[in-house]
């Protein structure tokens, strides 16, 4: 891409009034001087902010926000249109401009301290009558760009916003009036407030705080402080306490506290406000303000925010593709750089998980780390583009653990939400390390990771890092007790699979640090997916507490349905999904999984059906709107069919993403969905947690340059930005627009036939990947078995035994029933399998032991009779059937996952197999 000088502010997106379908109109930009660090030809940077549309994802379930923030900043000053802090593009009324937001989260959060300008007399408290003061607006009068937001309300008030990392700058331009009001609604956070406060300390400053929490129903809490300073005195002021309005009263402390400021704009329409925030104190909010945002030059703050964004966006340069493709790509990159968020103040202070004030020394403390979402796609991008910041994020988790005793799952502010299943900080930290973010206390990290993986325990709010860990350690899976919320877990089968992924990632991290003994143990645990794999049907299936697979299970109909109130459309045992979506979530051992399913051809057949649809809930199909499905398109490549990956990935990008407000297929989840798009568009995908490397697909652009970040100080990075930046170059010919399949690839000039490239091959020097593309879907590139990505089979059982027809027999006292046991090989070796079973008193098996030879692609069947005595009591009995397997002619053997037969004795005289 040609380097140009940044001579003006970014093109700004102005969304016209028609919902969703209206094109995004470029607005005239305001000129400013060139920056010494960004926007110069010498630094080889171009203006990429013009491709960013902050409105993308604000319609539907994207849950993004259009207001200004800076990369990883503490403040996100943005308009809200709902009572719980979201901005929905179809809405026509703004309820306030609040200071804090999460980008793309599925639950309400933050939206603290909304400011609301209005004109006219005070009627009633905004806490109870907010609609008296809100204003409608039109998208034709609304603009957004990285670091900037503007809207002219139908009331005639113009609002312009920009930010620094911890402060914001607003310009409110009123029509001429002696009743130009500004309401500061401290008690209006997205999830409500337990307490809030305001104090008018002078005729130009208001301070206060808000205490809120409860993200996604968690027992969390945080307090945010603010200091708002104005460039002109207000003519009058007052406060409110719930419904009570108190003119001229300087302070209020209540659940719903707020301040009302009135300006006389008859002679001058403009009111400027600078706001600092802190999670420590009002004094620190003021310090942040005086350090980052001292003057009254709004254009300077806006310009700096724009230049900061442009610097970050220039870390990936693309050429080729359509205008819309570039808009989707750079908006995705923008969204992927919003979180996690800085949590310490400019003096390093922050409030820890122990509720004490600490000082971050030699690192920046971060929060809002949505680990379940971002370990799959986003942390890899952060580690390559921003290893210094990513290392600090990992160090923040380690410090949080030191203060609270456990690694926090989904930390928000200085608290642990525990949202989503699994032990996701483990996968996050391991993957960050594998992709180059290594400048944190790795030994302490490993210590806490091993603690969480081996020691059941409870932290603050009753938080359990691995709920029901004892059962997982004993059984190799978390059993299902109930179709509803299940002993602290939503979806025990999906939690088991998450724990298996966590154990695999932790094994890689332990190995990297030389801890071989723990690696071996963890690799055995990583194969615990085999305990849930029902080899009769070829899907993951929850096991009940008695060890028997869940009854009434139907993969196609998603039966039985979950009875968790918010999961009614999903399948019991799986959080936010079904067995169709979770069965593919074993990317570290697809070879073992595919053998268990029945081989590559059967896998491809199933995947073809799976991708009949690309998005949607409560269906047996792919769902790009939810993270467990993210890796599934790349499963084709592991099965030796990379062209199908390339076709499906292109379909997902073109059919479910676009550059409109409704252009995200689901929650962006703090950048996780956007990061999926970025990797897929670049033709590289980080499929395996804890392993540095990429599955190769077809890039969507003819030229891509990824500028890798440095782990050193920011100053040293800026000094070397032009002459010493590591980078990965990707080139693709002919045009990817019409050629979406890989015909051949060279890496650093050498022919590369594998569909996998390790991070070591491209993480140093100036590596170049050159793709030759084709429009022929029958291309043979990377289809040989030796060319597929790696699978890690260490610790797996060589076969999986199962009981036909669901594993349950119903019989009358004194009767005999027949059932069959099958054995599904997971390796290509011939096996000798020995089995035995011992029933409880009153039940006998014939035979009760045996030896079976198993060859590749065979599924031998053993027929067994079970006889009940005439005096056995009616009820349910279980018979464990144990297996040991060894390769033919070998002496050592491996224990297979246990298989349980359930025998139901009834006096009805009927006999049937369920």
């Amino acid at each position: 891409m040609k380097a140009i000088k940044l001579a003006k502010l970014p093109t700004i997106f102005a969304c016209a009034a028609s919902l969703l379908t209206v094109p995004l109109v470029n607005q005239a930009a305001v000129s400013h001087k060139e920056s010494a660090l960004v926007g110069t030809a010498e630094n080889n940077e171009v203006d990429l902010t013009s491709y960013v549309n902050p409105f993308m994802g604000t319609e539907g379930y994207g849950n993004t926000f259009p207001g200004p923030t800076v990369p990883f900043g503490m403040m996100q000053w943005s308009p809200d249109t709902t009572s719980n802090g979201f901005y929905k593009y179809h809405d026509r009324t703004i309820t306030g401009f609040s200071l804090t937001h999460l980008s793309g989260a599925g639950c309400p959060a933050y939206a603290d301290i909304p400011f609301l300008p209005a004109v006219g007399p005070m009627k009633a408290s905004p806490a109870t009558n907010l609609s008296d003061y809100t204003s409608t607006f039109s998208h034709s009068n609304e603009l957004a760009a990285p670091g900037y937001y503007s809207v002219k309300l139908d009331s005639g008030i113009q609002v312009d916003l920009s930010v620094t990392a911890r402060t914001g700058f607003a310009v409110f331009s009123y029509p001429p009036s002696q009743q130009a009001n500004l309401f500061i609604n401290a008690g209006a956070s997205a999830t409500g407030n337990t307490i809030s406060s305001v104090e008018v300390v002078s005729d130009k400053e208001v301070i206060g705080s808000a205490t809120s929490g409860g993200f996604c129903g968690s027992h969390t809490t945080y307090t945010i402080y603010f200091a708002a300073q104005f460039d002109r005195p207000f003519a009058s002021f007052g406060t409110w306490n719930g419904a009570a309005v108190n003119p001229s009263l300087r302070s209020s402390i209540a659940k719903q506290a707020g301040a009302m400021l009135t300006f006389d704009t008859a002679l001058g329409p403009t009111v400027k406000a600078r706001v600092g925030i802190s999670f420590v104190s009002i004094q620190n909010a003021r310090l942040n303000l005086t350090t980052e945002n001292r003057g009254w030059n709004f254009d300077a703050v806006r310009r700096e925010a724009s230049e900061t964004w442009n610097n970050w966006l220039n870390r990936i340069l693309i050429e080729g593709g359509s205008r819309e493709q570039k808009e989707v790509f750079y908006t995705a990159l923008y969204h992927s750089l919003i979180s996690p968020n800085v949590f310490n103040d400019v003096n390093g202070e922050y409030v820890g998980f122990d509720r004490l004030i600490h000082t971050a020394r030699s690192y920046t403390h971060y929060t809002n780390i949505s680990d379940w979402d971002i370990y799959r796609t986003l942390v890899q991008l952060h580690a390559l583009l921003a290893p210094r910041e990513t290392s600090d994020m990992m160090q923040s988790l380690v410090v949080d653990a030191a203060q609270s005793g456990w690694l926090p799952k989904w930390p928000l502010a200085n608290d642990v939400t525990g949202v989503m299943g699994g032990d996701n900080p483990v996968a996050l930290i391991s993957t960050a390390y594998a992709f180059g973010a290594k400048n944190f206390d790795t030994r302490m990290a490993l210590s806490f990771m091993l603690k969480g993986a081996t020691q059941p325990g409870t932290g603050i709010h009753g938080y359990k890092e691995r709920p029901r860990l004892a059962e997982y350690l004993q059984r190799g899976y978390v059993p299902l007790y109930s179709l509803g919320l299940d002993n602290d877990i939503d979806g025990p089968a999906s939690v088991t699979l998450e724990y298996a992924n966590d154990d695999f990632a932790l094994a890689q991290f332990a190995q990297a640090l030389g801890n071989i003994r723990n690696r071996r143990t963890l690799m055995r645990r990583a194969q615990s997916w085999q305990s849930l794999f029902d080899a009769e049907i070829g899907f993951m299936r929850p096991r009940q507490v008695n060890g028997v697979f869940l009854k009434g299970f139907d993969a196609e109909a998603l039966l039985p349905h979950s009875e968790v109130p918010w999961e009614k459309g999903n399948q019991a045992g799986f959080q936010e999904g079904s067995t169709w979506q979770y069965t593919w979530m074993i990317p570290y051992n697809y070879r073992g999984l595919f053998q268990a399913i029945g081989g590559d051809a059967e896998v491809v057949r199933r995947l073809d059906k799976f991708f009949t649809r690309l998005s949607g809930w409560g269906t047996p199909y792919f769902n790009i709107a939810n993270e467990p499905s993210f890796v599934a398109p790349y499963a084709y490549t592991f099965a030796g069919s990379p062209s199908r990956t390339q076709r499906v990935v292109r379909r997902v990008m073109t059919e479910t993403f676009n550059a409109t407000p409704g252009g995200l297929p689901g929650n962006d989840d703090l950048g996780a969905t956007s990061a999926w798009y970025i990797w897929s568009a670049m033709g590289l995908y980080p499929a395996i947690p804890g392993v540095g490397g990429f599955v190769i697909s077809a890039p969507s652009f003819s030229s891509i340059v990824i500028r890798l970040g440095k782990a050193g100080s920011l100053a040293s990075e800026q000094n070397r930005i032009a002459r010493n930046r590591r980078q990965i170059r990707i080139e693709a010919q002919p045009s990817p627009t019409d050629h979406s399949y890989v015909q051949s690839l060279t890496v650093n000039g050498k022919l590369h036939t594998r569909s996998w490239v390790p991070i070591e091959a491209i993480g140093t020097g100036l590596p170049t990947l050159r793709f030759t593309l084709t429009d022929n879907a029958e291309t043979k590139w990377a289809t040989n078995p030796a060319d597929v990505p790696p699978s890690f089979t260490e610790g797996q059982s060589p076969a999986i035994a199962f009981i036909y027809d669901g594993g349950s027999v119903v019989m009358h006292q004194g009767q005999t029933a027949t059932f069959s046991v099958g054995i599904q090989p997971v390796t290509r070796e011939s096996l000798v399998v020995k089995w035995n079973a011992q029933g409880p008193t009153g039940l006998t098996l014939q035979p009760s032991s045996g030896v079976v030879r198993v060859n590749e692609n065979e599924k031998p069947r053993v027929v067994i009779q079970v006889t009940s005595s005439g005096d056995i009591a009616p009820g349910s009995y279980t018979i464990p059937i144990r297996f040991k397997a060894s390769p033919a002619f070998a002496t050592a053997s491996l224990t297979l996952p246990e298989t349980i037969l359930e025998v139901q004795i009834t006096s009805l005289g009927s006999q049937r197999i369920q």
Side-chain angles (χ1 to χ4, degrees), residues 484-500:
L485 279 176
D486 198 344
N487 294 336
D488 298 326
I489 279 183
D490 174 5
S494 55
V495 166
T496 298
L497 299 175
E498 291 285 3
Y499 286 171

Side-chain angles (χ1 to χ4, degrees), residues 178-251:
Q178 292 183 335
Q179 295 178 321
N181 301 313
L182 183 62
F183 302 111
I184 303 177
N185 201 349
S189 299
T191 54
N193 298 87
T194 55
I195 197 69
S196 61
S197 70
V198 291
E199 182 181 358
V200 181
V201 295
S202 73
D203 62 358
K204 289 186 178 182
E205 185 179 32
V206 178
I207 60 176
S209 66
T211 299
S212 186
F215 177 67
C216 283
S218 62
H219 300 291
T220 53
T221 184
Y222 65 87
T223 298
I224 185 172
Y225 303 88
F226 76 94
Q229 299 176 356
F230 299 87
D231 72 327
R232 56 187 289 184
F234 20 90
S236 61
F237 62 85
T239 58
W240 68 81
N241 181 328
V245 176
N246 303 296
S248 301
L249 189 65
R250 288 188 174 274
S251 65

Side-chain angles (χ1 to χ4, degrees), residues 844-866:
T844 58
L845 275 68
Q846 181 60 40
S848 61
S849 63
V851 178
V852 182
R853 182 176 289 275
V854 183
N855 297 316
E856 182 186 0
N857 299 325
E858 292 183 350
K859 206 170 186 177
R861 186 171 186 142
V862 179
V863 179
I864 306 173
Q865 289 184 330
V866 57

Side-chain angles (χ1 to χ4, degrees), residues 535-681:
E536 181 185 11
I537 62 174
F539 284 98
M540 302 296 175
R541 183 172 178 177
R543 285 191 184 271
Q544 300 172 111
V545 67
N546 63 0
V548 178
F549 280 125
L550 179 63
K551 296 178 181 178
F553 193 79
D554 187 325
E556 301 300 325
L558 309 189
L559 295 176
H561 291 312
S562 172
E563 295 180 2
V564 176
W566 53 88
E567 296 269 14
K568 290 294 182 69
N570 295 315
Q571 193 168 29
F574 299 94
Q575 187 174 34
E576 296 186 356
S578 69
T579 187
W580 265 102
Q581 287 143 7
Y582 273 95
T583 291
W584 310 111
M585 211 186 74
I586 309 296
Y588 56 87
N589 189 8
Y590 270 154
R591 177 48 44 215
L593 176 67
F594 292 178
Q595 284 290 111
I597 288 174
D600 290 345
E602 174 62 14
V603 166
V604 169
R605 185 193 69 79
R606 289 194 185 189
L607 288 171
D608 286 346
K609 177 182 183 300
F610 187 50
F611 290 107
T612 301
R613 302 180 191 174
L614 301 180
S615 185
W617 299 84
T619 71
Y621 300 105
F622 177 71
N623 186 11
I624 185 57
N626 205 27
E627 283 76 6
S629 283
F630 278 4
V631 74
Y634 296 89
Y636 277 123
T637 300
F638 287 79
S641 189
S643 62
R644 279 181 162 85
T645 288
Q646 293 151 26
R647 180 176 67 242
V648 168
V649 166
R650 188 67 63 95
R651 280 182 57 210
V652 175
M653 288 193 293
T654 58
E655 294 178 26
T656 69
F657 291 83
N658 59 71
T660 71
L664 282 174
N667 293 162
D668 201 35
D669 287 326
L670 281 67
T673 305
S674 288
W676 184 94
Y677 184 94
I678 292 168
W679 287 120
S680 297

Side-chain angles (χ1 to χ4, degrees), residues 23 28 113 153 195 259 280 300 340 373 385 432 434 473 498 645 652 690 813 824:
I113 327 291
L153 303 173
I195 197 69
V280 175
D373 309 295
L385 300 184
L473 295 177
E498 291 285 3
T645 288
V652 175
Q813 295 157 311
Q824 171 65 56

